[in-house]
Amino acid sequence: MSVLHNIFRHIVKGVSGKSILPPCPSTGKGCPQGGKGVIGASLFLLLTSCSDFSSYNSVVESSNPTADKTLWENISAKGELSDFAQILQAVGYDAVLNAPTTYTVWAPVNGTFNKDSIMALTQDAKTKKKVIEQFVYDHVAHYSHFESNPNDTVVYMLSKKLIRFSGKNTGSLAFDGKVINWATDAYNTPSSNGILYMLNGMVPFRPNAYENIFTDKSRYGIADSHFNAYVKRYERIELDEDASVKGEIVNGNQVYDDSVTVTTNSFVTGFAHLNAELNNEDSLYTVVIPTDEAWQKAYDKIKSYYNYITPIKYQNLGSTATDFAGKKGGTCPTTSTGKATILAASAGVDASNAATLSAAPADADKQDTKAYWTDSIAKRWIVRNTAFSENNGKYNAKLVSGAAFVEGDTLFSTSGNKLTGLDKLDKVTVLKQQLSNGHARVVSEFPFRASETYAPVIKTRIPGRVVSTSGYGTETVTLERRMFDDKFCKLEDDEINLEYVCATLPEGSNYAPEIDFYLPDVLSTTYDIYAVVVPPKVDGTGLPYTLRFDLHYTDAKNEPQTGRLDGKTLQTSIAKISKVEPFVNKTTKVDTLYLGQFTFPICYYGTGAAPNLKVMSTLSSFSMSNKTKYDAQIRIANIILKPKEE
């Protein structure tokens, strides 16, 4: 499966322990320490230049601080910042804030965070790095950020997180919702290399939507979940030779002093999948993540819809087999049942050309092709509608506000699905998390309707074949909306005009046609089957039709079968078929006929095979006097299969 995907980067240490600093466009020099050129091996970074976040962080040339003390000198001189100062010294960041590079620091005052637990992490090199990246960097940003600048309301921190700087030019100045304390007679303490704010609380480190999948250690353990394992499978890490710093040649192999890797995740970013940049700090998403129990329950249910056999014997409507296309247009052998005739189950079945599934790839967990398809499709449907853009205010605003969903609400996923019935989403949400670029919801059950996700409604009006001894085919007719009112036909929201297909028979023809429709992507589940029938005239003066509907399908033993729908179920014995009365439509409106319910034994999705529905006019089996009461034509706007939801 080839998919388009966006590319993300993160920089990892090479053998020399050096790091790569991409040049800033404005200076041509490396970015300052802790800037956008440095990133942990576990984090993603978009392919951006150092100035990509200039809309958040900008240098105000006329407002450079004039105080003669450095940020570090001002921090260490304030007794209420002694805990913060101790941590800075423990990780070596006192030297950074004592250097000429310009920063803004939001320093949490004593008593607003657990200093001892953070200090304990500075004793080990690995956890010491975590303190820098997840504590220090969340309180420090490049450049000077003044409370008087009304545009500077979102700050890009050294942690690469976007944090809100609110209450500008008011008495409620805050950072990440924490109150900023007055320093003597001002909000800030100017320094020779930046600005210092004292903050009544620490900024908690928040992973972004992608990082959260791999780092969450809450009681639901997303980092060790089935969801995590599925997304992880799509990660690919490759060396970026052009961006890496080359070292010596050792035994004929190039060694790199510093290695830059390109990390991709085709499932997350691919247009055919989530189509979301979950690691982009400049975007906002809500991710709906199932617990392991919810995953397993959904998996067991969804896989029952994808019961494959291979290869599938099916009736090929384009077959040239002698038992299927005798005359021009394709007349077929039938079995006589008195008032009814039914096509032989074997008619048109070409076993040598039976549709099949593509083989399981060599690296698949399941090598049996049928099992592989069932497994992979079931898992994909669990995660396909898990990402929602919070920038989509038309549909997704309640994911941001946290307001309860009500009847009529709709969500729109990044994969392009509209989802309703959202009161269930609120009911099964067991945990809400704030992320650096949005939110996560952990759910105890798959929250979306089958018909809007893994078992969609099937609609078709594309003929696979028309049967006519006269050799006539079919045509598609468009009836403009201005020609009828809602009493005749109420269109769906996405429809402009009424379209239907009919047999191209001459006016007054005595031949009763048959139009056969493939039923695409049918799953191994139960459907309610409908036919939407269009009367001959919008004024209601035309004649009705008498129609029969025969279903051709393949059973679990891979044997072709045929039956007749009677308005309740499918009749398969000749004795019962002969007693099925024809359907008669209303002439005053576009009539939706309920044909009956049927459970398909096998899944056709992705195979190229399909069952079919034969729509037949029964006019030829009536006396000539009945031809003044019924129309010989067939006009079908849609054949509809709705999956039966529990």
Side-chain angles (χ1 to χ4, degrees), residues 1 233 236 358-369 371-373 375-376 379:
M1 286 179 251
R233 285 181 59 89
R236 297 291 183 270
S358 58
D363 61 348
D365 290 338
K366 297 179 182 294
Q367 282 302 305
D368 177 82
T369 294
Y372 163 75
W373 274 67
D375 177 74
S376 60
K379 289 177 178 177

Side-chain angles (χ1 to χ4, degrees), residues 220-291:
Y220 296 104
I222 300 305
D224 301 312
S225 66
H226 293 312
F227 183 88
N228 167 289
Y230 183 85
V231 176
K232 184 70 175 177
R233 285 181 59 89
Y234 289 84
E235 275 196 346
R236 297 291 183 270
I237 300 176
E238 298 177 353
L239 178 69
D240 186 339
E241 296 183 6
D242 293 334
S244 299
V245 177
K246 293 182 178 180
E248 300 178 352
I249 303 294
V250 178
N251 297 327
N253 298 316
Q254 178 68 63
V255 175
Y256 293 87
D257 290 339
D258 286 281
S259 304
V260 178
T261 61
V262 178
T263 302
T264 66
N265 191 305
S266 60
F267 180 80
V268 172
T269 60
F271 291 113
H273 303 117
L274 280 192
N275 190 28
E277 296 179 358
L278 297 183
N279 63 320
N280 186 351
E281 299 288 349
D282 204 21
S283 298
L284 294 172
Y285 296 96
T286 287
V287 182
V288 178
I289 303 174
T291 64

Side-chain angles (χ1 to χ4, degrees), residues 490-516:
K490 186 172 178 60
L491 297 173
E492 300 288 343
D493 292 339
D494 59 349
E495 293 178 320
I496 300 175
N497 299 313
L498 173 63
E499 292 189 358
Y500 63 87
V501 63
C502 63
T504 52
L505 296 176
E507 189 71 26
S509 172
N510 290 327
Y511 183 77
E514 171 189 321
I515 303 178
D516 300 344

Side-chain angles (χ1 to χ4, degrees), residues 1-20:
M1 286 179 251
S2 62
V3 296
L4 296 174
H5 55 269
N6 296 329
I7 296 179
F8 302 97
R9 289 188 173 188
H10 67 267
I11 297 174
V12 297
K13 296 291 184 181
V15 293
S16 68
K18 300 176 184 178
S19 61
I20 297 174

